Amino acid sequence: VGYGWPHLQTFVLGNGDLGWKNGVRFSNAGLLHWRWIYKLQDRLLPECFAQINYDKSRRLDFRSLFGAGVRLGVVFSDLLKLWWGSSYMFEHERLTLSPGDVHLSRINHHRWSNYLSVLWRLNERANLGGVVYYQPQIDALRDYRILGDVTLTVDVSQRISMAMSLNVRYDAKPPLLVEKRDIKIQNSIGFKL
């Protein structure tokens, strides 16, 4: 859900995921993200953000984070928009660890969050959009995350759209028994009010 004024844009993004296979839960995750973007100039936008989430499959019981930085418009045309953002981010995590894991169960990290965001208008009904984040820990650069999300959206009508998304996650130092890479494909339907 988003709203914009002439010099201010804000949105809230929520996502939940529950899944069972043969009576066994394989997915249990939720996310709530808020972002505030101020239009200082056409291509220079300070922003701040906050997020809470959990992901039981990654042993993440709770994460909260907040940060602030700047977004720069690199390419800005009717067909293609490319943004680069860089921010300071504070992150707090609580994890349920496997026996013998040397990973800490409660963590506070300072990260440098960088991203590229693209919106490419393929035609009058289809858009390809995505964002890729690179988030190293400031005091331990070998502890980093790469997160990517690419979505193809096709308008079925003026108010209904369909989307297919590819989500990729890489964590250089995950907890024990958690894969470094995670790939997810999702289909969704969108409604415009």
Side-chain angles (χ1 to χ4, degrees):
V1 176
Y3 193 78
W5 296 272
H7 293 287
L8 179 66
Q9 182 180 4
T10 188
F11 66 87
V12 175
L13 172 73
N15 190 2
D17 189 16
L18 294 173
W20 290 266
K21 183 175 182 180
N22 298 327
V24 177
R25 182 178 284 171
F26 67 88
S27 181
N28 183 359
L31 176 138
L32 186 62
H33 180 92
W34 169 79
R35 190 166 293 253
W36 174 87
I37 305 161
Y38 182 75
K39 187 175 179 181
L40 190 62
Q41 297 175 1
D42 282 345
R43 296 186 186 198
L44 177 63
L45 297 102
E47 62 183 353
C48 63
F49 53 90
Q51 177 177 305
I52 56 172
N53 67 297
Y54 75 98
D55 188 340
K56 297 296 186 178
S57 67
R58 302 192 62 78
R59 300 193 175 271
L60 179 64
D61 293 328
F62 179 76
R63 173 188 290 133
S64 62
L65 61 87
F66 62 89
V70 66
R71 171 190 298 219
L72 298 172
V74 178
V75 177
F76 208 74
S77 71
D78 289 339
L79 296 179
L80 181 67
K81 292 178 177 49
L82 178 67
W83 299 92
W84 171 73
S86 187
S87 302
Y88 162 79
M89 181 175 86
F90 176 79
E91 172 183 64
H92 169 75
E93 290 183 338
R94 291 192 316 255
L95 302 150
T96 297
L97 301 177
S98 301
D101 195 346
V102 297
H103 207 284
L104 297 174
S105 63
R106 292 181 182 262
I107 303 167
N108 293 317
H109 286 295
H110 303 274
R111 291 192 180 272
W112 178 28
S113 181
N114 298 277
Y115 67 86
L116 282 174
S117 174
V118 64
L119 180 58
W120 181 17
R121 185 174 178 176
L122 301 173
N123 59 42
E124 291 180 8
R125 296 179 55 208
N127 293 306
L128 184 67
V131 61
V132 176
Y133 290 91
Y134 171 67
Q135 299 174 327
Q137 186 177 321
I138 291 174
D139 58 349
L141 297 177
R142 290 186 179 172
D143 184 351
Y144 63 90
R145 293 190 183 122
I146 298 172
L147 311 165
D149 191 28
V150 177
T151 302
L152 174 64
T153 305
V154 178
D155 291 334
V156 178
S157 69
Q158 288 183 337
R159 294 185 181 237
I160 299 173
S161 61
M162 296 184 70
M164 186 163 95
S165 299
L166 172 67
N167 181 276
V168 179
R169 170 189 292 272
Y170 180 84
D171 188 344
K173 296 194 175 184
L176 188 65
L177 302 179
V178 174
E179 295 289 330
K180 287 187 174 189
R181 287 179 204 87
D182 190 18
I183 298 172
K184 186 186 300 184
I185 297 173
Q186 294 177 264
N187 295 305
S188 60
I189 298 174
F191 301 94
K192 295 177 187 173
L193 301 176

